[in-house]
Amino acid sequence: MTTPFPGPAHSGLTVVIPCFNEVENVEPSYREITNELGHYSLELFYVDDGSVDGTLDKIRALAAADPRVRYLSFSRNFGFEAAFSAGYRYASQPWILHVDADQQFPAAEAEKLVAAAEQGNDAVFGVRTNRQDPRLRRWGTAAFHFLGRRVLRIEIPPGATAFRLVRAELARKIVDLRLGTPYFLATVPRLTSRYTCVQVAHRARERGESKVGFGFLASHAIELFVGFTRRLTTAASATALLAAGIAVLAGGAAAFGLLGAGVTATLLFALLAVLLLVASLTVRYLVVVGAGQPRPRQFYVREANVDVDAEDRLFTPADPAGPRLIDVQLGKGVSA
């Protein structure tokens, strides 16, 4: 496979590291990334997702000591999708490597992603070969991929994780779509067929606590299942029509005394359960539709050492009451 665009080994690499209350992992992640990937034309882009534990102080210190370190800090916690989206939007190198601050994916494994990208792929996703996570979380992920890919037929890179290498132009196009239900893994196949997955090592978290709980995973899965396929809504509509037909027949049979009171009551409760399920899917679909309407931006930046678009800032230079941001490169205060 050939491509007119240079791969990461011959152009440059931005490592995007989203952080939320990862004060213990900022410095170790920096050391590992620079030790293992320092031979590339490298930018380290930390995105502080509204941390309250001193994470931003650690990032500021790194940026003051190393000009390769860039960062954004949100005005509040906007969530994982917003954090990496901001990093993707403002990355300066032609390729983006996504590495979470928890270091569960060894930075050295990025070489496998780079090798696959050099074959002409626009995106390369890491797949854990020896996942070191709690059993319940592993089962949940397996069920998610089975339902998404096999049952609902959503095109998702099989086994793909957030440990990925993507052309920056592609990543920014996806971020700028501003989808009502943004889901990066499912959006990549809608824009390009040149993507692949490679097996990578995985290790247990050594410091801090995981921010990804069952609630987050369930919400994320529902957004994917409702926002990226019509199979659920089609099935719900068909089920509602079938239930309506059964209700008409049952009503007629009951009127002519063909059904006993017990059977009639059972049918009524069964039909009610079906209709409530259909209603819940319909409501969720309406939530997805509503999410696509005009709304606040995905994130707002309070502090950065890079140029930030005015619409992504919480405060603009025209607001004299806005806070002062620290420009690490210039070593002076600048208006937000």
Side-chain angles (χ1 to χ4, degrees):
M1 185 182 298
T2 60
T3 174
F5 305 104
H10 302 92
S11 53
L13 193 64
T14 292
V15 183
V16 172
I17 311 111
C19 300
F20 177 57
N21 292 342
E22 295 284 3
V23 64
E24 297 174 302
N25 287 314
V26 172
E27 291 178 350
S29 68
Y30 167 81
R31 288 194 298 269
E32 182 178 30
I33 292 168
T34 53
N35 288 340
E36 298 293 346
L37 305 176
H39 54 286
Y40 292 104
S41 176
L42 193 65
E43 174 187 53
L44 289 83
F45 204 121
Y46 285 88
V47 182
D48 171 40
D49 187 18
S51 300
V52 294
D53 67 343
T55 293
L56 180 56
D57 293 332
K58 296 287 187 181
I59 296 172
R60 285 195 192 112
L62 291 177
D66 187 342
R68 295 175 298 179
V69 176
R70 319 296 290 279
Y71 74 89
L72 295 174
S73 180
F74 289 166
S75 58
R76 56 172 287 264
N77 176 243
F78 284 97
F80 177 69
E81 196 89 26
F84 73 70
S85 295
Y88 294 2
R89 176 171 292 159
Y90 290 106
S92 67
Q93 297 286 4
W95 286 83
I96 293 171
L97 173 67
H98 181 131
V99 179
D100 289 335
D102 58 21
Q103 295 184 275
Q104 288 196 254
F105 290 99
E109 294 293 281
E111 298 291 359
K112 298 177 181 178
L113 308 186
V114 170
E118 292 291 340
Q119 298 301 311
N121 289 295
D122 300 319
V124 185
F125 300 90
V127 178
R128 290 165 287 220
T129 58
N130 59 334
R131 186 172 182 179
Q132 302 297 308
D133 280 326
R135 182 176 300 176
L136 183 60
R137 187 171 168 184
R138 297 199 303 270
W139 288 351
T141 301
F144 161 79
H145 278 278
F146 175 78
L147 289 173
R149 299 187 69 249
R150 300 295 180 87
V151 178
L152 299 178
R153 304 294 178 84
I154 303 172
E155 187 174 359
I156 312 171
T161 65
F163 184 57
R164 55 201 178 214
L165 180 64
V166 188
R167 290 188 190 277
E169 285 186 274
L170 172 62
R172 280 191 283 271
K173 280 184 170 59
I174 293 174
V175 170
D176 290 340
L177 289 174
R178 296 199 70 201
L179 299 174
T181 53
Y183 205 100
F184 194 86
L185 290 180
T187 308
V188 168
R190 292 188 169 191
L191 273 65
T192 178
S193 61
R194 291 192 173 188
Y195 67 87
T196 190
C197 297
V198 298
Q199 293 186 339
V200 295
H202 190 251
R203 59 194 177 195
R205 174 186 272 265
E206 296 181 1
R207 295 168 297 274
E209 297 181 357
S210 174
K211 315 305 184 298
V212 179
F214 178 79
F216 170 85
L217 295 174
S219 175
H220 218 41
I222 291 172
E223 288 183 353
L224 172 69
F225 297 161
V226 175
F228 283 81
T229 180
R230 294 184 179 179
R231 286 178 176 267
L232 278 179
T233 52
T234 300
S237 299
T239 302
L241 288 174
L242 179 61
I246 294 174
V248 170
L249 293 175
F256 287 101
L258 300 178
L259 294 178
V263 174
T264 301
T266 300
L267 275 174
L268 287 175
F269 280 112
L271 290 172
L272 178 61
V274 170
L275 292 176
L276 287 175
L277 176 60
V278 170
S280 67
L281 286 172
T282 303
V283 169
R284 185 62 201 180
Y285 182 74
L286 292 175
V287 169
V288 170
V289 173
Q293 304 307 306
R295 61 194 188 279
R297 295 188 69 79
Q298 192 178 22
F299 57 84
Y300 288 94
V301 176
R302 182 182 293 276
E303 180 176 332
N305 70 339
V306 296
D307 291 332
V308 177
D309 294 340
E311 60 267 27
D312 286 336
R313 296 178 178 179
L314 182 62
F315 302 100
T316 66
D319 182 2
R324 305 286 288 178
L325 303 189
I326 305 301
D327 188 322
V328 176
Q329 287 187 308
L330 298 181
K332 60 182 181 181
V334 294
S335 295

PDB file of all heavy atoms in Angstrom, residues 294-306:
ATOM      1  N   PRO A 294     -28.228  23.283  18.234  1.00  0.00           N
ATOM      2  CA  PRO A 294     -27.269  24.256  18.777  1.00  0.00           C
ATOM      3  C   PRO A 294     -27.127  24.120  20.291  1.00  0.00           C
ATOM      4  O   PRO A 294     -28.113  23.998  21.017  1.00  0.00           O
ATOM      5  CB  PRO A 294     -27.896  25.608  18.384  1.00  0.00           C
ATOM      6  CG  PRO A 294     -28.670  25.305  17.148  1.00  0.00           C
ATOM      7  CD  PRO A 294     -29.233  23.919  17.368  1.00  0.00           C
ATOM      8  N   ARG A 295     -25.901  24.142  20.767  1.00  0.00           N
ATOM      9  CA  ARG A 295     -25.615  23.902  22.176  1.00  0.00           C
ATOM     10  C   ARG A 295     -24.246  24.497  22.500  1.00  0.00           C
ATOM     11  O   ARG A 295     -23.517  24.895  21.592  1.00  0.00           O
ATOM     12  CB  ARG A 295     -25.615  22.403  22.462  1.00  0.00           C
ATOM     13  CG  ARG A 295     -24.565  21.638  21.661  1.00  0.00           C
ATOM     14  CD  ARG A 295     -24.803  20.139  21.695  1.00  0.00           C
ATOM     15  NE  ARG A 295     -23.717  19.374  21.103  1.00  0.00           N
ATOM     16  CZ  ARG A 295     -23.563  19.182  19.809  1.00  0.00           C
ATOM     17  NH1 ARG A 295     -24.409  19.738  18.956  1.00  0.00           N
ATOM     18  NH2 ARG A 295     -22.563  18.456  19.337  1.00  0.00           N
ATOM     19  N   PRO A 296     -23.869  24.527  23.769  1.00  0.00           N
ATOM     20  CA  PRO A 296     -22.512  24.994  24.097  1.00  0.00           C
ATOM     21  C   PRO A 296     -21.469  24.133  23.412  1.00  0.00           C
ATOM     22  O   PRO A 296     -21.729  22.994  23.025  1.00  0.00           O
ATOM     23  CB  PRO A 296     -22.459  24.842  25.628  1.00  0.00           C
ATOM     24  CG  PRO A 296     -23.877  24.885  26.062  1.00  0.00           C
ATOM     25  CD  PRO A 296     -24.658  24.222  24.967  1.00  0.00           C
ATOM     26  N   ARG A 297     -20.276  24.665  23.285  1.00  0.00           N
ATOM     27  CA  ARG A 297     -19.199  23.909  22.658  1.00  0.00           C
ATOM     28  C   ARG A 297     -18.832  22.703  23.522  1.00  0.00           C
ATOM     29  O   ARG A 297     -19.215  22.626  24.691  1.00  0.00           O
ATOM     30  CB  ARG A 297     -17.984  24.813  22.412  1.00  0.00           C
ATOM     31  CG  ARG A 297     -18.286  25.920  21.393  1.00  0.00           C
ATOM     32  CD  ARG A 297     -17.038  26.678  21.027  1.00  0.00           C
ATOM     33  NE  ARG A 297     -16.102  25.878  20.251  1.00  0.00           N
ATOM     34  CZ  ARG A 297     -16.223  25.631  18.955  1.00  0.00           C
ATOM     35  NH1 ARG A 297     -17.255  26.087  18.270  1.00  0.00           N
ATOM     36  NH2 ARG A 297     -15.310  24.910  18.317  1.00  0.00           N
ATOM     37  N   GLN A 298     -18.087  21.800  22.921  1.00  0.00           N
ATOM     38  CA  GLN A 298     -17.744  20.566  23.612  1.00  0.00           C
ATOM     39  C   GLN A 298     -16.874  20.823  24.826  1.00  0.00           C
ATOM     40  O   GLN A 298     -16.890  20.060  25.798  1.00  0.00           O
ATOM     41  CB  GLN A 298     -17.024  19.633  22.630  1.00  0.00           C
ATOM     42  CG  GLN A 298     -16.852  18.213  23.126  1.00  0.00           C
ATOM     43  CD  GLN A 298     -16.169  17.334  22.093  1.00  0.00           C
ATOM     44  OE1 GLN A 298     -15.484  17.819  21.206  1.00  0.00           O
ATOM     45  NE2 GLN A 298     -16.355  16.033  22.199  1.00  0.00           N
ATOM     46  N   PHE A 299     -16.086  21.900  24.801  1.00  0.00           N
ATOM     47  CA  PHE A 299     -15.224  22.241  25.925  1.00  0.00           C
ATOM     48  C   PHE A 299     -14.928  23.733  25.881  1.00  0.00           C
ATOM     49  O   PHE A 299     -15.098  24.386  24.852  1.00  0.00           O
ATOM     50  CB  PHE A 299     -13.900  21.452  25.873  1.00  0.00           C
ATOM     51  CG  PHE A 299     -13.131  21.650  24.584  1.00  0.00           C
ATOM     52  CD1 PHE A 299     -12.281  22.748  24.420  1.00  0.00           C
ATOM     53  CD2 PHE A 299     -13.258  20.756  23.542  1.00  0.00           C
ATOM     54  CE1 PHE A 299     -11.580  22.938  23.242  1.00  0.00           C
ATOM     55  CE2 PHE A 299     -12.559  20.934  22.357  1.00  0.00           C
ATOM     56  CZ  PHE A 299     -11.720  22.030  22.207  1.00  0.00           C
ATOM     57  N   TYR A 300     -14.490  24.275  27.026  1.00  0.00           N
ATOM     58  CA  TYR A 300     -14.038  25.661  27.115  1.00  0.00           C
ATOM     59  C   TYR A 300     -12.696  25.684  27.848  1.00  0.00           C
ATOM     60  O   TYR A 300     -12.529  25.013  28.871  1.00  0.00           O
ATOM     61  CB  TYR A 300     -15.064  26.541  27.840  1.00  0.00           C
ATOM     62  CG  TYR A 300     -16.301  26.792  27.007  1.00  0.00           C
ATOM     63  CD1 TYR A 300     -17.421  25.981  27.141  1.00  0.00           C
ATOM     64  CD2 TYR A 300     -16.324  27.813  26.060  1.00  0.00           C
ATOM     65  CE1 TYR A 300     -18.546  26.193  26.362  1.00  0.00           C
ATOM     66  CE2 TYR A 300     -17.451  28.038  25.277  1.00  0.00           C
ATOM     67  CZ  TYR A 300     -18.551  27.218  25.433  1.00  0.00           C
ATOM     68  OH  TYR A 300     -19.661  27.427  24.646  1.00  0.00           O
ATOM     69  N   VAL A 301     -11.769  26.446  27.311  1.00  0.00           N
ATOM     70  CA  VAL A 301     -10.406  26.487  27.838  1.00  0.00           C
ATOM     71  C   VAL A 301     -10.244  27.695  28.750  1.00  0.00           C
ATOM     72  O   VAL A 301     -10.627  28.810  28.396  1.00  0.00           O
ATOM     73  CB  VAL A 301      -9.391  26.565  26.677  1.00  0.00           C
ATOM     74  CG1 VAL A 301      -7.971  26.702  27.210  1.00  0.00           C
ATOM     75  CG2 VAL A 301      -9.518  25.327  25.790  1.00  0.00           C
ATOM     76  N   ARG A 302      -9.667  27.446  29.924  1.00  0.00           N
ATOM     77  CA  ARG A 302      -9.360  28.542  30.834  1.00  0.00           C
ATOM     78  C   ARG A 302      -7.896  28.951  30.735  1.00  0.00           C
ATOM     79  O   ARG A 302      -7.555  30.118  30.881  1.00  0.00           O
ATOM     80  CB  ARG A 302      -9.675  28.129  32.280  1.00  0.00           C
ATOM     81  CG  ARG A 302      -9.439  29.240  33.308  1.00  0.00           C
ATOM     82  CD  ARG A 302      -9.708  28.763  34.725  1.00  0.00           C
ATOM     83  NE  ARG A 302     -11.108  28.463  34.916  1.00  0.00           N
ATOM     84  CZ  ARG A 302     -12.039  29.371  35.216  1.00  0.00           C
ATOM     85  NH1 ARG A 302     -11.715  30.656  35.312  1.00  0.00           N
ATOM     86  NH2 ARG A 302     -13.294  29.013  35.389  1.00  0.00           N
ATOM     87  N   GLU A 303      -7.018  27.988  30.481  1.00  0.00           N
ATOM     88  CA  GLU A 303      -5.584  28.274  30.480  1.00  0.00           C
ATOM     89  C   GLU A 303      -4.890  27.426  29.433  1.00  0.00           C
ATOM     90  O   GLU A 303      -5.268  26.277  29.202  1.00  0.00           O
ATOM     91  CB  GLU A 303      -4.989  28.002  31.858  1.00  0.00           C
ATOM     92  CG  GLU A 303      -3.502  28.259  31.963  1.00  0.00           C
ATOM     93  CD  GLU A 303      -2.986  28.053  33.380  1.00  0.00           C
ATOM     94  OE1 GLU A 303      -3.753  28.240  34.341  1.00  0.00           O
ATOM     95  OE2 GLU A 303      -1.804  27.713  33.520  1.00  0.00           O
ATOM     96  N   ALA A 304      -3.864  28.004  28.794  1.00  0.00           N
ATOM     97  CA  ALA A 304      -3.136  27.269  27.771  1.00  0.00           C
ATOM     98  C   ALA A 304      -1.807  27.947  27.501  1.00  0.00           C
ATOM     99  O   ALA A 304      -1.640  29.135  27.790  1.00  0.00           O
ATOM    100  CB  ALA A 304      -3.949  27.188  26.484  1.00  0.00           C
ATOM    101  N   ASN A 305      -0.869  27.195  26.931  1.00  0.00           N
ATOM    102  CA  ASN A 305       0.370  27.807  26.447  1.00  0.00           C
ATOM    103  C   ASN A 305       0.460  27.681  24.929  1.00  0.00           C
ATOM    104  O   ASN A 305       1.540  27.672  24.353  1.00  0.00           O
ATOM    105  CB  ASN A 305       1.604  27.210  27.124  1.00  0.00           C
ATOM    106  CG  ASN A 305       1.883  25.777  26.708  1.00  0.00           C
ATOM    107  OD1 ASN A 305       0.997  25.072  26.219  1.00  0.00           O
ATOM    108  ND2 ASN A 305       3.110  25.320  26.916  1.00  0.00           N
ATOM    109  N   VAL A 306      -0.705  27.540  24.294  1.00  0.00           N
ATOM    110  CA  VAL A 306      -0.819  27.532  22.832  1.00  0.00           C
ATOM    111  C   VAL A 306      -1.908  28.524  22.443  1.00  0.00           C
ATOM    112  O   VAL A 306      -2.740  28.909  23.265  1.00  0.00           O
ATOM    113  CB  VAL A 306      -1.183  26.126  22.301  1.00  0.00           C
ATOM    114  CG1 VAL A 306      -0.082  25.128  22.609  1.00  0.00           C
ATOM    115  CG2 VAL A 306      -2.513  25.648  22.875  1.00  0.00           C
TER     116      VAL A 306
END
